[in-house]
Amino acid sequence: MQHLRYQMLEFFVRDGTRRRAAFNPLPRTVPLKGLYRVLICQPEQSEATLLLLMPLIAEIQDRFPGTQIDLVVAGEAASRLFRGFPNVGQIYALPSKARRHPWSFLRTIQSLRQQRYDLAIDPDLSSQLSRLLTIHCRANHRIGFDRNESSAKLTCAMPLLSLNRDLDPLQLFRWALPLSDTSLDGRLL
């Protein structure tokens, strides 16, 4: 049964990432206007990883006031952590073991696909599940890190450079903004 669950999740991951485009004609920056709904996909259960999202959420709140941010996380810790942010809306809590609960996982994907987002962010370098959720949600713009096998459906794919692991989500968001809007000399911190 576990093998069947694993094969089903692998099918969904490969389905969205099978066709890699050699040339991405989409703009590689996020527009500065028209962002009203943002989805952040961080299906990690550890509270330390979720704490790294706080600077990203604060940055989005500062640059785009009034933007609603929805989160996809594993476990119930996120509702306690992000209670103080007024712009955090829906928190989708995935089961801690998605392979053991495939129907709950598929219901979450279905409810995500019913929503419309202006921006979806995949801030995790190593999670296939976060990339899967980012690819399959209905978003106008998708940003994430460039992983050769699954960057075809991203609007902005940040190349993997020497990154500070603690600032990955914030660096990714700032990199995707137009150069004229960043307060720094380059795209990286």
Side-chain angles (χ1 to χ4, degrees):
M1 186 67 172
Q2 185 173 354
H3 178 71
L4 180 64
R5 291 181 194 138
Y6 182 73
Q7 292 295 330
M8 186 171 62
L9 286 177
E10 286 294 316
F11 170 76
F12 284 115
V13 171
R14 273 185 265 146
D15 184 29
T17 62
R18 188 179 312 154
R19 298 169 297 275
R20 177 156 172 87
F23 170 71
N24 190 357
L26 296 173
R28 62 173 239 157
T29 59
V30 173
L32 295 177
K33 294 181 181 178
L35 290 182
Y36 302 108
R37 296 198 67 200
V38 176
L39 177 69
I40 301 174
C41 300
Q42 181 70 22
E44 288 285 332
Q45 191 165 357
S46 71
E47 290 184 17
T49 307
L50 292 176
L51 285 174
L52 295 177
L53 292 180
M54 286 187 173
L56 173 64
I57 293 173
E59 179 89 9
I60 294 172
Q61 185 175 349
D62 289 343
R63 289 183 186 261
F64 305 102
T67 299
Q68 178 184 344
I69 300 174
D70 293 347
L71 299 170
V72 179
V73 295
E76 300 295 326
S79 61
R80 292 189 319 265
L81 288 174
F82 300 111
R83 187 179 309 152
F85 289 96
N87 58 341
V88 173
Q90 180 73 28
I91 297 176
Y92 296 98
L94 293 172
S96 60
K97 301 285 184 182
R99 292 181 181 156
R100 291 186 184 174
H101 306 284
W103 300 118
S104 174
F105 175 73
L106 291 175
R107 276 192 298 267
T108 303
I109 288 181
Q110 182 181 10
S111 63
L112 282 174
R113 290 203 40 88
Q114 291 174 354
Q115 302 296 323
R116 193 86 164 123
Y117 294 100
D118 299 313
L119 176 65
I121 302 173
D122 173 17
D124 199 344
L125 280 168
S126 59
S127 175
Q128 286 184 339
L129 183 56
S130 65
R131 183 58 55 96
L132 170 75
L133 294 169
T134 304
I135 290 172
H136 287 287
C137 72
R138 290 178 22 185
N140 296 335
H141 302 279
R142 295 177 183 88
I143 61 174
F145 293 101
D146 186 14
R147 293 184 262 164
N148 291 332
E149 73 278 359
S150 63
S151 299
K153 288 200 170 189
L154 292 178
T155 306
C156 302
M158 181 178 176
L160 295 177
L161 304 171
S162 59
L163 297 172
N164 184 353
R165 184 77 178 158
D166 296 338
L167 298 176
D168 286 347
L170 188 57
Q171 279 183 323
L172 174 67
F173 180 70
R174 287 182 178 172
W175 182 85
L177 292 176
L179 277 175
S180 62
D181 185 58
T182 58
S183 59
L184 305 170
D185 292 333
R187 292 195 181 270
L188 299 177
L189 292 174

